[in-house]
Amino acid sequence: MTSVSSASPVFSGRDRQNRLFGPLPDVSGEAGYEADHPQRIGFFTDTSVCIGCKACEVACKEWNMLPMDDADGVRDAMGLSGMSYDNTGMLGANSWRHVAFVEQSRPVDLPMPQVGPPGAGRFGESQAPGHADGDLPADGTTPAYTGVLNAEALTEFDPQTGRSADREVRWLMSSDVCKHCTHAGCLDVCPTGALFRTEFGTVVVQGDICNGCGYCVPACPYGVIDKREGDGRVFKCTLCYDRTLDGLMPACATACPTQSIQFGNLDELQARADARLATLREQGVESARLYGRDENDGVGGAGAFFLLLDEPEVYGLPPDPVVPTRDLPSLWKSAGAAAAMIVGVIGTAVLGSRGRK
Amino acid sequence: MTASPGAGWRRADGPAAHDREKRRRRRGNGHGSGGGVGFRAAAADGAPVVQDVEFSSYYGRPVIKAPVWKTPDVPLYLFLGGAAGTSAILGAFSELTGRPVLARVSRLVSGGGSVLSVGWLIHDLGRPERFLNMLRVLKPTSPLSVGSWILAPFSAATGATAAVELLGWFPRLKQFGGAVAALFGAPMATYTAVLFANTAVPSWKEPGKQLPFVFAGSALAAGGGLTMVFAPVEEAAPSRAMAVAGAAVELAVMQKVEHDHGIVSEPYREDKAGKYLKAARTCTAAGAGLTLLAGRRRLGAVASGALLAAGSLLTRFGVYEAGMASAKDPKYTVVPQRERLVEQDGHARSVVR
């Protein structure tokens, strides 16, 4: 394999465009790898089939030998978060997979008419909104969900939805992970070169280089990487660099019993995700959307992307993440102007008060 | 499809929701944080408030990680680095215009400040023994890498110059060192603003182009103030001028940072940061005023110089704490990003491709 350049691509002079943000067809090539590098790999996490078993969390902890902590990153403490079945709390130095649990409810109209065979006129037919009973609620709920049949349809194929009295309840479960961004904030700002881009296009910390400056922590727009208490260095998901080098699947994807976590070459995963989204849309799940799939987003698309059933922020994800370094040139310009102002002010102060002493 | 975002789903009320409500009430102001879905911030007290702050979050937990930097390490580093940077330039200019005592004082302040600032910076590292790894690469995309390459020659030059000044050896080396220090002085005082702004921390990122001017003004006030304290008043006219000019810049630009950025300006006015910055304003304004009135008297110079330095220090603490507060509340991450999406597309699209 070729040697890894820890210097920034700014020096290389190649590909003048999109080095700080925007789509980048070949991230590893951009980082200095020869053209024969392996294809970019990633995760597609399909949260619509996640059952919240946390096997991914356990497999990750075991394989990577991550220490125990509570929901706030306090080492060697076992604590219940008190908010849900989620006692991991967040991604951090000691949790590289984090299963989010969201419990939601919404009202359904009663009584529930059961007309005709189940599933008749279900998906998007003209029957669905104008139901035979004509018993539409007058509270102005959105048209897509006023019909009981539509809600029923959702219930039928969505194992995460249940009903109790006049409330419909659903559980959203999502296994979050480092996004391995095309333009990674953590990698951009690392001053030591401890963070580097692998030949697979992933982003990995070299523990023997990291000096714990902590700059990558606030530079991540997703709040993934964190400093480990009692160690001083930062840690995050490596996309199982050690396993992938040997042709193995990452631990979490291997352990996932529902194929919610899918691992593979990024372009294949993207095609698979597009097909899955189309299927769900067809079935009437209008809230399904892909997150991190768009190469024109603020991080140039993510190596680990998601199919979500609600807004990203419901899962604790930022709705429009942007790599901080996108604005770096303008920041330096401003700092340069401020530096010039300093020299100007002091020069004027010294020369201007020459006569007076 | 034009389904409403979330399709009518709302977070089922759990204990966490009650906790959030309690937390809000305890803070007891109209523009506190709101967690969870469907909460509307009310402007009961008529305070400036972004209307209808309604946003979703994951149990009110932060979206981004707050910086793991320590206080007082980092605010002190900013303050000392700023004061050292401007006084190094003052030292070089004073030498050229025949103010030997002011030049000597400036060199000592700048040398002391830079050596101490390096100490605080190393102390802040998780693995201090590896601080030399900072000079392992030079990465233009990393303000901290660029900053390390500014700090290293700067602190070496100012430290050596101050040592030579104290020991009285090699007078020519003093001038050379002073020149090198002056060259790196201004970048030293302003790069730290880029360091802060180039993060996902909302209240640092948003006013990112103004922060360098805040830090520059603050550094001028601190450098001018400290040299005023130690230099004889007859020679300290440049110190007074730069301190007053710096204080004016600091106050003016800080005003913009605190008010021009909508919701992410809030943390600058609230809680700990609000208190620090209020005190900073008072100290800086009083210091500048006193400099003009009594700066030519020994006692006045000492008092006003100390006030200016204190104001600068408090500004650094305030800016630091405001950023920390904005990182810890998901509101400041989610709401501006939502607004951005609405602006781009005209409706509340999420990241659907």
Side-chain angles (χ1 to χ4, degrees), chain A residues 77 281 283 356:
Chain A
R281 286 281 173 84
Q283 290 175 337
R356 292 185 278 125

Side-chain angles (χ1 to χ4, degrees), chain B residues 90-339:
Chain B
L90 179 65
F93 275 125
S94 314
E95 177 82 27
L96 291 176
T97 53
R99 290 184 174 88
V101 186
L102 182 60
R104 182 181 159 84
V105 166
S106 303
R107 281 175 184 156
L108 292 178
V109 166
S110 132
S114 71
V115 169
L116 282 176
S117 79
V118 172
W120 283 112
L121 189 66
I122 292 174
H123 184 255
D124 186 58
L125 295 177
R127 289 288 173 101
E129 72 278 11
R130 291 187 185 173
F131 72 95
L132 278 179
N133 280 8
M134 289 288 192
L135 303 180
R136 201 176 152 263
V137 290
L138 169 55
K139 261 170 86 169
T141 57
S142 169
L144 190 49
S145 175
V146 174
S148 298
W149 284 101
I150 293 169
L151 177 64
F154 175 77
S155 55
T158 49
T161 309
V164 166
E165 184 79 60
L166 279 177
L167 296 169
W169 301 343
F170 320 113
R172 278 214 216 131
L173 195 66
K174 202 160 69 179
Q175 277 171 12
F176 173 72
V180 172
L183 203 63
F184 286 98
M188 179 66 215
T190 54
Y191 100 82
T192 44
V194 181
L195 179 83
F196 271 26
N198 192 54
T199 59
V201 175
S203 292
W204 290 342
K205 187 171 176 47
E206 210 57 46
K209 287 182 197 163
Q210 291 165 346
L211 280 186
F213 289 93
V214 171
F215 282 22
S218 177
L220 282 167
L226 287 177
T227 47
M228 261 164 71
V229 171
F230 298 109
V233 286
E234 311 83 61
E235 278 197 22
S239 296
R240 291 194 289 270
M242 77 185 247
V244 172
V249 171
E250 183 183 345
L251 287 172
V253 187
M254 204 54 220
Q255 187 71 15
K256 291 176 82 66
V257 170
E258 284 169 31
H259 294 95
D260 281 7
H261 301 281
I263 190 170
V264 298
S265 280
E266 260 180 33
Y268 285 100
R269 303 191 298 264
E270 290 176 358
D271 296 339
K272 220 186 211 175
K275 276 179 209 139
Y276 278 137
L277 289 170
K278 198 175 167 197
R281 257 195 316 274
T282 312
C283 286
T284 304
L290 197 62
T291 307
L292 293 173
L293 289 175
R296 284 180 190 78
R297 281 192 295 270
R298 188 74 215 123
L299 207 62
V302 171
S304 53
L307 276 172
L308 284 163
S312 169
L313 181 64
L314 285 164
T315 300
R316 309 308 180 111
F317 272 97
V319 171
Y320 178 83
E321 292 297 344
M324 296 298 275
S326 78
K328 283 173 184 161
D329 191 332
K331 175 169 73 166
Y332 301 115
T333 305
V334 173
V335 173
Q337 294 190 11
R338 267 279 154 231
E339 285 172 354

Side-chain angles (χ1 to χ4, degrees), chain A residues 141-220:
Chain A
T141 43
T142 50
Y145 290 93
T146 44
V148 171
L149 282 181
N150 208 342
E152 208 174 43
L154 258 177
T155 314
E156 210 165 297
F157 65 79
D158 184 358
Q160 297 174 353
T161 308
R163 191 177 291 158
S164 148
D166 62 338
R167 309 289 296 173
E168 195 177 30
V169 177
R170 74 167 176 174
W171 282 79
L172 298 178
M173 285 154 278
S174 161
S175 181
D176 196 10
V177 70
C178 169
K179 316 300 176 292
H180 295 276
C181 310
T182 301
H183 297 283
C186 59
L187 171 60
D188 281 349
V189 304
C190 176
T192 62
L195 275 150
F196 76 108
R197 177 83 62 186
T198 71
E199 61 272 39
F200 301 105
T202 56
V203 180
V204 175
V205 191
Q206 302 174 82
D208 54 344
I209 305 292
C210 176
N211 69 3
C213 76
Y215 195 14
C216 50
V217 176
C220 172

Side-chain angles (χ1 to χ4, degrees), chain A residues 3-350:
Chain A
S3 68
V4 182
S5 164
S6 53
S8 159
V10 172
F11 282 140
S12 70
R14 285 178 297 116
D15 188 22
R16 291 239 144 250
Q17 265 155 16
N18 290 358
R19 277 174 306 167
L20 295 180
F21 65 100
L24 210 57
D26 180 13
V27 274
S28 306
E30 167 66 15
Y33 290 94
E34 304 280 348
D36 63 347
H37 65 76
Q39 277 193 288
R40 187 176 181 188
I41 57 172
F43 285 128
F44 166 46
T45 307
D46 179 356
T47 70
S48 69
V49 292
C50 177
I51 55 170
C53 69
K54 301 193 202 179
C56 50
E57 283 190 19
V58 175
C60 177
K61 284 240 178 198
E62 292 237 336
W63 179 261
N64 294 297
M65 296 188 287
L66 303 181
M68 179 169 90
D69 67 0
D70 72 359
D72 296 307
V74 178
R75 276 283 293 276
D76 303 325
M78 194 167 355
L80 299 177
S81 67
M83 62 191 190
S84 68
Y85 286 128
D86 173 14
N87 295 309
T88 311
M90 59 181 187
L91 288 176
N94 313 317
S95 306
W96 298 351
R97 272 277 178 190
H98 162 230
V99 180
F101 283 73
V102 180
E103 187 181 335
Q104 292 178 323
S105 72
R106 64 181 179 189
V108 276
D109 37 333
L110 284 174
M112 300 204 323
Q114 292 288 338
V115 182
R122 217 189 294 164
F123 302 125
E125 303 293 353
S126 56
Q127 281 168 284
H131 189 262
D133 279 338
D135 197 12
L136 287 174
D139 58 356
T141 43
T142 50
Y145 290 93
T146 44
V148 171
L149 282 181
N150 208 342
E152 208 174 43
L154 258 177
T155 314
E156 210 165 297
F157 65 79
D158 184 358
Q160 297 174 353
T161 308
R163 191 177 291 158
S164 148
D166 62 338
R167 309 289 296 173
E168 195 177 30
V169 177
R170 74 167 176 174
W171 282 79
L172 298 178
M173 285 154 278
S174 161
S175 181
D176 196 10
V177 70
C178 169
K179 316 300 176 292
H180 295 276
C181 310
T182 301
H183 297 283
C186 59
L187 171 60
D188 281 349
V189 304
C190 176
T192 62
L195 275 150
F196 76 108
R197 177 83 62 186
T198 71
E199 61 272 39
F200 301 105
T202 56
V203 180
V204 175
V205 191
Q206 302 174 82
D208 54 344
I209 305 292
C210 176
N211 69 3
C213 76
Y215 195 14
C216 50
V217 176
C220 172
Y222 300 96
V224 170
I225 195 165
D226 204 0
K227 203 178 204 170
R228 183 175 293 168
E229 220 179 84
D231 181 293
R233 295 171 298 167
V234 295
F235 295 86
K236 74 169 191 71
C237 164
T238 65
L239 221 145
C240 280
Y241 189 37
D242 49 351
R243 292 174 64 93
T244 47
L245 274 174
D246 287 341
L248 292 170
M249 279 217 288
C252 55
T254 310
C256 180
T258 64
Q259 295 189 350
S260 170
I261 299 172
Q262 300 179 28
F263 166 80
N265 289 336
L266 191 58
D267 46 2
E268 284 168 33
L269 291 177
Q270 287 172 342
R272 220 183 289 171
D274 294 344
R276 173 68 180 154
L277 180 67
T279 307
L280 283 174
R281 286 281 173 84
E282 206 176 287
Q283 290 175 337
V285 188
E286 288 166 8
S287 58
R289 82 279 318 267
L290 296 180
Y291 177 79
R293 162 76 174 85
D294 185 1
E295 292 173 342
N296 291 303
D297 69 10
V299 298
F305 63 104
F306 302 81
L307 188 148
L308 303 178
L309 294 175
D310 206 329
E311 299 297 331
E313 57 264 39
V314 170
Y315 298 89
L317 296 163
D320 183 26
V322 173
V323 59
T325 325
R326 186 189 70 179
D327 303 322
L328 190 57
S330 68
L331 295 175
W332 277 127
K333 225 173 271 175
S334 173
M341 183 193 78
I342 290 182
V343 177
V345 165
I346 300 179
T348 314
V350 173

